[in-house]
Amino acid sequence: MRRALVAGLVVLLAATGSGCALEASEPPDEEPRVVAPPVEPVSPAVPEAVRVRVPVPRAASFARRAQELTVRVRNVSCLGVGVGSGFAVARDLLITNRHVLAGASVLEVSTWDGRTLDVEAAEVGVLGDIGVALVDGRLPRVGAYGAPPPPGAPVTVAGYPLGGRLDLRPGTVIDYVDGARFDIPGRVMRFSARVEPGNSGGPVLNRRGRIVAVVFAIELATSYALAIPMDTLHALVRRGGFEPVPPCGSE
């Protein structure tokens, strides 16, 4: 490549050098035929305008926040390898589901920027399908919470369905039902976004990107997604607290 460039440069110089100049058929004009436009001075406002940061569009900003706060959880147990999702509530702490952590001999967390973090400690909720994990490292973004939205409000579920790439899926809050039939002491959100295995433990976000619930299951009778609202989650933690992760085969 370098020799070709050098050879081309030699040919160009030879064609334009004095030794190979062509004789003009007539003397040049006293004035050039092509007149360059006058140079306008730069406005003092231009440098300031260049330094102004252009805001990221709201949709792109929403997706970026969801991407950064949502993680993929990998569970290696005696039954094989399972995957789920979670979200950061502190720089080294995340929330997910009890069943995502249950039976694990090894737990790993993958972040949006390609890092894999080991889990140093994990516990599961005494009440409800919730779990927490402490990671050896720094999670990219801590989520902010919002009040549970009313029925009819738009929501988005963020997660890693089937353990693949992060996916954002829109839906609508259907209603809130008694969670007793799902072994959740408290009310449960039903919403219309499509969720799959691997979405468990992922956040449900309101239109401002705030976390309003935690995905935990699908209602087979309706195919609605089920999530634990943040107010229910807080009540479960206050009432029951956490216990060690159940060993493989115990559930």
Side-chain angles (χ1 to χ4, degrees):
M1 177 65 74
R2 184 175 181 274
R3 290 183 179 179
L5 289 175
V6 172
L9 181 62
V10 170
V11 171
L12 179 62
L13 292 176
T16 58
S18 58
C20 297
L22 299 178
E23 183 178 355
S25 58
E26 58 183 29
D29 295 337
E30 294 183 1
E31 295 293 334
R33 296 177 181 178
V34 179
V35 179
V39 177
E40 295 288 342
V42 176
S43 168
V46 171
E48 289 298 323
V50 171
R51 285 195 288 267
V52 173
R53 294 185 60 185
V54 178
V56 179
R58 178 174 296 182
S61 178
F62 179 97
R64 181 60 177 267
R65 288 197 302 271
Q67 181 184 47
E68 291 179 352
L69 69 88
T70 308
V71 300
R72 178 169 48 207
V73 182
R74 182 171 179 266
N75 177 334
V76 181
S77 73
C78 63
L79 300 178
V81 178
V83 292
S85 302
F87 56 90
V89 293
R91 282 299 185 181
D92 59 353
L93 189 70
L94 64 92
I95 284 182
T96 183
N97 288 152
R98 178 188 181 101
H99 74 263
V100 171
L101 302 178
S105 57
V106 176
L107 288 167
E108 295 177 337
V109 171
S110 300
T111 62
W112 74 279
D113 52 359
R115 292 180 296 126
T116 299
L117 307 177
D118 294 328
V119 172
E120 292 187 334
E123 293 186 334
V124 296
V126 174
L127 302 174
D129 194 355
I130 55 176
V132 294
L134 181 70
V135 300
D136 181 15
R138 188 175 177 84
L139 297 168
R141 178 186 288 268
V142 176
Y145 306 123
V155 291
T156 300
V157 59
Y160 292 86
L162 305 178
R165 299 178 62 181
L166 178 74
D167 199 9
L168 304 181
R169 296 179 177 178
T172 302
V173 177
I174 303 300
D175 55 18
Y176 293 87
V177 298
D178 185 357
R181 54 180 162 156
F182 309 114
D183 295 324
I184 303 292
R187 67 173 185 163
V188 163
M189 175 196 292
R190 298 196 304 177
F191 62 104
S192 64
R194 182 170 62 92
V195 300
E196 299 177 86
N199 278 115
S200 293
V204 180
L205 308 171
N206 65 13
R207 64 197 311 167
R208 297 180 60 191
R210 294 181 176 271
I211 301 166
V212 296
V214 186
V215 177
F216 75 94
I218 302 170
E219 187 177 35
L220 296 179
T222 62
S223 296
Y224 289 146
L226 302 173
I228 303 172
M230 296 309 296
D231 55 354
T232 299
L233 186 146
H234 293 156
L236 295 177
V237 172
R238 288 195 301 268
R239 290 173 55 191
F242 292 93
E243 62 184 3
V245 174
C248 188
S250 62
E251 293 190 345

